[in-house]
Amino acid sequence: MQWEIVIGLETHAQLNTHSKIFSGAATAYGAAPNTQACAVDIALPGVLPVFNRAAAEKAVKFGLAIGARINRRSVFERKNYFYPDLPKGYQTTQLELPIVAEGGTLQIQVTPSTGSGQAYEKTIRITRAHLEEDAGKSLHEDFHGMTGIDLNRAGTPLVEIVTEPDLRSSAEAVAYAKKLHSLVRWIGICDGNMQEGSFRCDANVSVRPMGVETLGTRCEIKNLNSFKFMEKAIEYEVRRQIEILEDGGRIIQETRLYDPDRDETRSMRSKEEANDYRYFPDPDLLPLVVDEAFLDQARATMPELPQAMRERFVRDQGLPAYDAGILTTSRELAGYFEDTVKALGGEAKMATNWIMGDLSAQLNKEGLEITNSPITAGKLAGLLQRIVDGTISGKIAKEVFSAMWAGEGDADTIIEAKGLKQVSDSGAIEKIVDEIIAANPAQVAEYRSGKEKVFGFFVGLAMKASKGKANPAQLNEILKKKLAG
Amino acid sequence: MFNTSLKELSAQLASKKISSVELTQTFLDRIRELNPRLNAFITIDENKSLAQAKTADALIASGKAGPLTGIPVAQKDIFCAEGWLSTCGSKMLHNFVSPYDAHVIEQFNRAGAINLGKTNMDEFAMGSSNETSYFGKVKNPWDLNAVPGGSSGGSAAAVAARLCPAATGTDTGGSIRQPAALNGITGIKPTYGVVSRYGMIAFASSLDQGGPMAKSAEDCALLLNVMAGFDSRDSTSLEREKEDYGRDLEQPLKGLRIGLPKEYFAEGLSADVAQAIEAALAEYRKLGAETVEISLPNSKLAVPVYYVLAPAEASSNLARFDGVRYGYRAPEYTDLADMYGKSRAQGFGAEVKRRIMIGTYVLSAGYYDAYYLKAQKLRRLIAQDFTNAFAQCDMIMGPTAPTTAFNLGEKSDDPVSMYLSDIYTIAVNLAGLPGMSVPAGFGANGRPVGLQIIGNYFSEAKMLNVAHQFQKATDWHTRMPQGI
Amino acid sequence: MSLNLADVKRIAHLARIAVEEDEMPGYLQQLSNILNLVEEMQAVDTTGIEPMAHAQDVVLRLRNDVATETDRRAAYQAVAPQVEAGLYLVPKVIE
């Protein structure tokens, strides 16, 4: 049977505020246990929550970025359950009236991971995004067989972003997660650090026979803290579900945990029992009202969004959509591209090729971000300028690029120091060509008898004689003329 | 000295006729002598109180004293006070020494008042008789066989027995007014949002409100001046200009329109209470007020609505007591679930457990709409009744409680009959209105009767004026229980 | 809506209150009495009435995003049942 995979993602993005969502404790990562857990965070008797404006600003910014409707009045509710890392015995979250309502979408570009499928675009609908507080952490290292609780993370603001079940493969899920990851960083609401748990995804996975309308029973997979794990976990889970169904079994709706060491998902029984969260409006908090001025403020601080920038690159710079898509995966990369083109006064396609080619390769090789590139946009433009004005050839430029990367100076310094300046003096080139023609009469005869393939042989010799510095266009012209006799 | 007004005590302190240390010591001695019979206090810390008194004396000497500087005030044990045991009347917090001050405590400290000790209360403020405290029952100083009411019963008994010049209370469904009535003292629950709830251990967040309990309305005005005020740490604290609640005390009452809800004078009101209330109303007419009959048609729904909403909020508010970060942890358990279950089963008393369970039930899947949501809708109807009523009158008056103090043990086996002792006070909390109780004589058994005054939102100054004028014309509030 | 023993068990579990078998009938009785008391609500038609969650019709204040709290771990953990290395200890959590 042909099975269709149905996936919905729930993403928890920590908002990069200075203080917590309901207290004045700091949110910095990595502090000693419980030193950033204030009276409100540890839920001392009598303490009360006070809401952080920045959490609302960042959530609204996200809503505007995905084109969703913003609820002018949203309500915090209590989700009641007992867990040692949940100090109040309830999580303050939003249920009925989330700050970001329906209507949001994210445009994804998918490259199928297997087979020879074509890359394609797809629009993923985002159901809602709501504000809530993070829980603390349970540490299971050995404390005489007990668990240690660190509440530093408790109360860190989160926005939980929920999609419709629009994703049809692990590749689509990963493409969506990457796109979302890039967006939250782009608009500056989340640092996106997955190792530190700033960006965490849960996947609701089900399968159904191809052509069937109703959804199959789903399982929720938790702990997908890297894109690679997400892909593997979904693929494992899909295989598991299909095997069960093909053996005539039934899927049990449950929460499963991905174990990267074993590359499998397993049932989390502890989360299963009696999920009756008894949501009700938090009486310690009043309705959160977002007025027009608040929205204007959010719009005013919104950078140009990746989708708009991508379209602009295609329209104004004449870039292929694919290239524009890559350049707009992060604000830093897009900024680098724009700075390069500006300094160069055009030549967008050439700049793109260099950025996506040699520069990206070097950055990847050394594990660097674009912001840490030893070659700045201005310096890259300086190099490309020399190609444009014919000072060096593209081939020589690669050599200059390597030297720049190694810190030997800017393009002009290196060209000068290494004597890499292209020979455009036609007299000098003619002299080289004359010598080659004189030294290779047999090949000259061949060429003149119609075997034009030997032309390359002459180019090679001439380049070698000029140490690669001969202006290729000029060399071609002169060679052709002289060989023609 | 025990029966002296705050104003007079303040004058004596200012004129150095007495020092705060002497005054504090006098009350501490009286507590030591009489508290064993009343059990009104959970914690006394003479050293702490006297140290504060010394500081207050220095402040007075330097001429920087305010109206409450050097005055000892007993604090309900629901208010967290740094360095003080803050138990909320529960075994769950029997060992909880608070690492911080409630806003109310801070305000008293800033004013130079002395924390005279922490008063007994119904566990987590759940009760109307002060019989649910882990630290034992409180007795009514007017009759040691009678309950003092609750939940602020320790504060009320302490003020009535003159173990302290004044005390604080909190009121979720009548917990200031009902014990004030049953002990013959004056207490006011301000408009919701006037006194910060920060550091006041939550029972039902949307209803809880702190307020003063003292001998007279005049004293209450001085205390409320200290307790009230905006606090950014409580999201429900209202941003309003600071006001002097005593500014209108001396206004005449001529032309005051008093609304008498017919539902508050119907079946269920005992004859002796009715008689005392009628006499008080006659006194008001003498003072130039007129009375009009009004109706609060949804009154009978107040108790049902309250016993859905308050337990629902409480079930969630009390979830933090889990034996992990503070408070009681069961000595023996097999695993995490067992630790939770046993710590909470052993740490909470019967009434608290009942209310947590009812609250859990009304919020649970399948019952939310029928109970919780329904109750929230009815809450609006109850609040609208008052809005309509205040179109016809300036103040609403009636009995605070249907009977005088009942006997210890009389209702403790029957929660529902206990709940009905708050029938006249609960609606005020649901609406968020200010309400107070003033002494208005005695019942057939010689136990005190309280007159309830309900004002419109933010009318505390006017209410205190209305009560003060009555207290100038009567002496019920100066009566002291004899032979404790 | 009447309550049964299974309900009491379910509620006690949700509330994490250990209730012994022999206490169950007592709870059932008392909780049922309270539910009877509140049953009166059901007789009133509340169609079209907006639920009232707060006494005052006010909206949430927004706090500026500034970290104001200092480390008070020692004071807070002085009242904790069991701590080690700055962590609160609980019986092993099984995930």
Side-chain angles (χ1 to χ4, degrees), chain B residues 19-54:
Chain B
S19 71
S20 175
V21 168
E22 287 165 335
L23 183 65
T24 303
Q25 190 62 62
T26 305
F27 278 102
L28 287 170
D29 291 345
R30 189 168 165 87
I31 292 169
R32 200 181 303 141
E33 182 197 341
L34 297 178
N35 191 53
R37 264 166 279 175
L38 297 173
N39 197 29
F41 283 84
I42 291 174
T43 303
I44 298 295
D45 189 327
E46 300 209 357
N47 292 335
K48 273 205 186 73
S49 300
L50 291 170
Q52 272 191 308
K54 231 175 249 168

Coordinates of all heavy atoms in Angstrom, one line a residue, chain B residues 19-54:
Chain B
S19 N 6.9 55.3 75.7 CA 7.7 55.0 74.6 C 7.1 53.8 73.8 O 6.3 53.1 74.4 CB 9.1 54.6 75.0 OG 9.1 53.3 75.7
S20 N 7.6 53.6 72.6 CA 7.1 52.5 71.8 C 7.5 51.2 72.5 O 6.8 50.2 72.5 CB 7.6 52.5 70.4 OG 7.2 51.4 69.7
V21 N 8.7 51.1 73.1 CA 9.2 49.9 73.7 C 8.3 49.6 74.9 O 7.8 48.4 75.1 CB 10.7 50.1 74.2 CG1 11.1 49.0 75.2 CG2 11.6 50.2 73.0
E22 N 7.9 50.6 75.7 CA 7.0 50.4 76.8 C 5.6 49.9 76.3 O 5.0 48.9 76.8 CB 6.8 51.7 77.6 CG 8.0 52.0 78.5 CD 7.9 53.5 79.0 OE1 7.2 54.3 78.3 OE2 8.5 53.7 80.0
L23 N 5.1 50.6 75.3 CA 3.8 50.2 74.7 C 3.8 48.8 74.2 O 2.9 48.0 74.5 CB 3.5 51.2 73.6 CG 2.1 51.0 72.9 CD1 1.0 51.3 73.9 CD2 2.0 52.0 71.7
T24 N 4.9 48.4 73.5 CA 5.0 47.1 72.9 C 5.1 46.1 74.0 O 4.5 45.0 73.9 CB 6.2 47.1 71.9 OG1 6.1 48.1 70.9 CG2 6.4 45.7 71.2
Q25 N 5.9 46.4 75.0 CA 6.1 45.4 76.1 C 4.8 45.2 76.8 O 4.5 44.1 77.2 CB 7.2 46.0 77.1 CG 7.6 44.9 78.1 CD 8.2 43.7 77.5 OE1 9.3 43.8 76.8 NE2 7.6 42.5 77.6
T26 N 4.0 46.3 77.0 CA 2.7 46.1 77.7 C 1.8 45.1 76.9 O 1.2 44.3 77.6 CB 2.0 47.5 77.7 OG1 2.9 48.4 78.3 CG2 0.8 47.5 78.5
F27 N 1.8 45.3 75.6 CA 0.9 44.4 74.9 C 1.5 43.0 74.8 O 0.8 42.0 74.9 CB 0.7 44.9 73.5 CG -0.4 45.9 73.4 CD1 -0.2 47.3 73.3 CD2 -1.8 45.5 73.5 CE1 -1.2 48.2 73.3 CE2 -2.8 46.5 73.5 CZ -2.5 47.8 73.4
L28 N 2.8 42.9 74.8 CA 3.5 41.5 74.8 C 3.1 40.8 76.1 O 2.9 39.6 76.1 CB 5.0 41.6 74.6 CG 5.4 42.0 73.1 CD1 6.9 42.3 73.1 CD2 5.1 40.8 72.2
D29 N 3.2 41.6 77.2 CA 2.9 41.0 78.5 C 1.4 40.5 78.5 O 1.1 39.4 79.1 CB 3.1 42.0 79.6 CG 4.6 42.3 79.8 OD1 5.4 41.6 79.3 OD2 4.9 43.4 80.4
R30 N 0.5 41.3 78.0 CA -0.9 41.0 78.0 C -1.1 39.7 77.1 O -1.9 38.8 77.4 CB -1.7 42.1 77.4 CG -3.2 41.9 77.6 CD -3.9 43.2 77.4 NE -5.4 43.0 77.2 CZ -6.3 43.0 78.2 NH1 -5.9 43.1 79.4 NH2 -7.6 42.8 77.9
I31 N -0.4 39.6 76.0 CA -0.5 38.4 75.1 C 0.0 37.2 75.9 O -0.7 36.2 75.9 CB 0.4 38.6 73.8 CG1 -0.2 39.7 72.9 CG2 0.5 37.3 73.1 CD1 0.7 40.1 71.8
R32 N 1.1 37.4 76.6 CA 1.7 36.3 77.3 C 0.7 35.8 78.4 O 0.5 34.6 78.6 CB 3.0 36.6 78.0 CG 3.8 35.4 78.4 CD 5.1 35.8 79.1 NE 6.0 36.7 78.3 CZ 6.7 37.7 78.8 NH1 6.6 37.9 80.1 NH2 7.4 38.4 78.0
E33 N 0.0 36.7 79.0 CA -1.0 36.4 80.0 C -2.3 35.7 79.4 O -2.8 34.7 79.9 CB -1.4 37.6 80.8 CG -2.3 37.4 81.9 CD -2.9 38.7 82.4 OE1 -2.4 39.8 82.1 OE2 -4.0 38.6 83.1
L34 N -2.8 36.3 78.4 CA -4.2 35.9 77.9 C -4.2 35.0 76.7 O -5.2 34.3 76.5 CB -5.0 37.2 77.6 CG -5.3 38.1 78.8 CD1 -6.1 39.3 78.4 CD2 -6.0 37.3 79.9
N35 N -3.1 35.0 75.9 CA -3.2 34.2 74.7 C -3.4 32.8 74.9 O -4.1 32.1 74.1 CB -2.0 34.5 73.8 CG -2.1 33.9 72.4 OD1 -3.1 34.1 71.7 ND2 -1.2 33.0 72.0
P36 N -2.8 32.2 76.0 CA -3.0 30.7 76.2 C -4.5 30.4 76.2 O -4.9 29.3 75.9 CB -2.3 30.5 77.5 CG -1.2 31.5 77.6 CD -1.8 32.7 76.9
R37 N -5.3 31.3 76.7 CA -6.8 31.0 76.7 C -7.5 31.2 75.4 O -8.5 30.6 75.1 CB -7.4 31.9 77.8 CG -7.5 31.1 79.1 CD -7.9 32.0 80.3 NE -6.7 32.7 80.7 CZ -6.7 33.7 81.7 NH1 -7.8 34.1 82.2 NH2 -5.6 34.2 82.1
L38 N -6.9 32.1 74.6 CA -7.6 32.5 73.3 C -6.9 31.8 72.1 O -7.6 31.6 71.1 CB -7.5 34.0 73.1 CG -8.3 34.8 74.2 CD1 -8.0 36.3 73.9 CD2 -9.8 34.5 74.1
N39 N -5.6 31.6 72.2 CA -4.9 31.0 71.0 C -5.0 31.9 69.8 O -5.1 31.4 68.7 CB -5.4 29.6 70.8 CG -4.4 28.8 69.9 OD1 -3.2 29.1 70.0 ND2 -4.9 27.9 69.1
A40 N -5.0 33.2 70.0 CA -5.1 34.1 68.9 C -3.9 34.3 68.1 O -3.9 34.8 66.9 CB -5.6 35.5 69.4
F41 N -2.7 34.0 68.7 CA -1.4 34.2 68.0 C -0.8 32.8 67.7 O -0.8 31.9 68.5 CB -0.5 35.0 68.9 CG -0.8 36.5 68.9 CD1 -1.7 37.0 69.7 CD2 -0.1 37.3 68.0 CE1 -2.0 38.4 69.7 CE2 -0.4 38.7 68.0 CZ -1.3 39.2 68.8
I42 N -0.1 32.8 66.5 CA 0.7 31.6 66.2 C 2.1 31.9 66.6 O 2.8 31.0 67.2 CB 0.6 31.2 64.7 CG1 -0.9 30.7 64.4 CG2 1.6 30.2 64.3 CD1 -1.1 30.5 62.9
T43 N 2.6 33.1 66.3 CA 4.0 33.4 66.6 C 4.1 34.7 67.3 O 3.5 35.7 66.9 CB 4.8 33.5 65.3 OG1 4.7 32.2 64.6 CG2 6.3 33.7 65.5
I44 N 4.9 34.7 68.4 CA 5.2 35.9 69.1 C 6.8 35.9 69.1 O 7.4 34.9 69.3 CB 4.8 35.8 70.6 CG1 3.2 35.8 70.6 CG2 5.3 37.0 71.4 CD1 2.6 37.0 70.1
D45 N 7.4 37.0 68.8 CA 8.8 37.1 68.9 C 9.2 38.4 69.5 O 9.3 39.5 68.9 CB 9.4 37.0 67.5 CG 10.9 36.9 67.5 OD1 11.6 37.5 68.4 OD2 11.5 36.2 66.6
E46 N 9.3 38.4 70.9 CA 9.5 39.6 71.7 C 10.7 40.4 71.2 O 10.6 41.6 71.1 CB 9.5 39.2 73.2 CG 8.3 38.5 73.7 CD 8.0 38.8 75.1 OE1 8.8 39.5 75.8 OE2 7.0 38.3 75.6
N47 N 11.8 39.7 71.0 CA 13.0 40.4 70.6 C 12.8 41.2 69.3 O 13.3 42.3 69.2 CB 14.2 39.4 70.4 CG 14.5 38.8 71.8 OD1 14.3 39.4 72.8 ND2 15.1 37.6 71.7
K48 N 12.2 40.5 68.3 CA 12.0 41.2 67.1 C 11.1 42.4 67.2 O 11.4 43.5 66.7 CB 11.4 40.3 66.0 CG 12.4 39.4 65.3 CD 11.7 39.0 63.9 CE 12.6 38.0 63.2 NZ 12.6 36.7 63.8
S49 N 10.0 42.2 68.0 CA 9.1 43.3 68.1 C 9.7 44.5 68.9 O 9.6 45.7 68.5 CB 7.8 42.9 68.9 OG 7.2 41.8 68.2
L50 N 10.5 44.1 70.0 CA 11.1 45.2 70.8 C 12.2 45.9 70.0 O 12.4 47.1 70.2 CB 11.6 44.6 72.1 CG 10.5 44.2 73.0 CD1 11.0 43.4 74.2 CD2 9.7 45.4 73.5
A51 N 12.9 45.2 69.2 CA 13.9 45.8 68.4 C 13.3 46.9 67.4 O 13.8 48.0 67.3 CB 14.7 44.8 67.6
Q52 N 12.2 46.5 66.8 CA 11.5 47.4 66.0 C 11.0 48.6 66.8 O 11.1 49.8 66.3 CB 10.2 46.7 65.3 CG 10.5 46.0 64.0 CD 9.3 45.6 63.3 OE1 8.4 45.0 63.9 NE2 9.1 46.0 62.1
A53 N 10.6 48.4 68.0 CA 10.1 49.4 68.9 C 11.2 50.4 69.2 O 11.0 51.7 69.2 CB 9.5 48.9 70.2
K54 N 12.4 49.9 69.4 CA 13.5 50.7 69.7 C 13.8 51.7 68.5 O 14.0 52.9 68.7 CB 14.7 49.8 70.0 CG 15.5 50.2 71.3 CD 16.6 49.2 71.5 CE 16.3 48.4 72.7 NZ 17.2 47.2 72.9

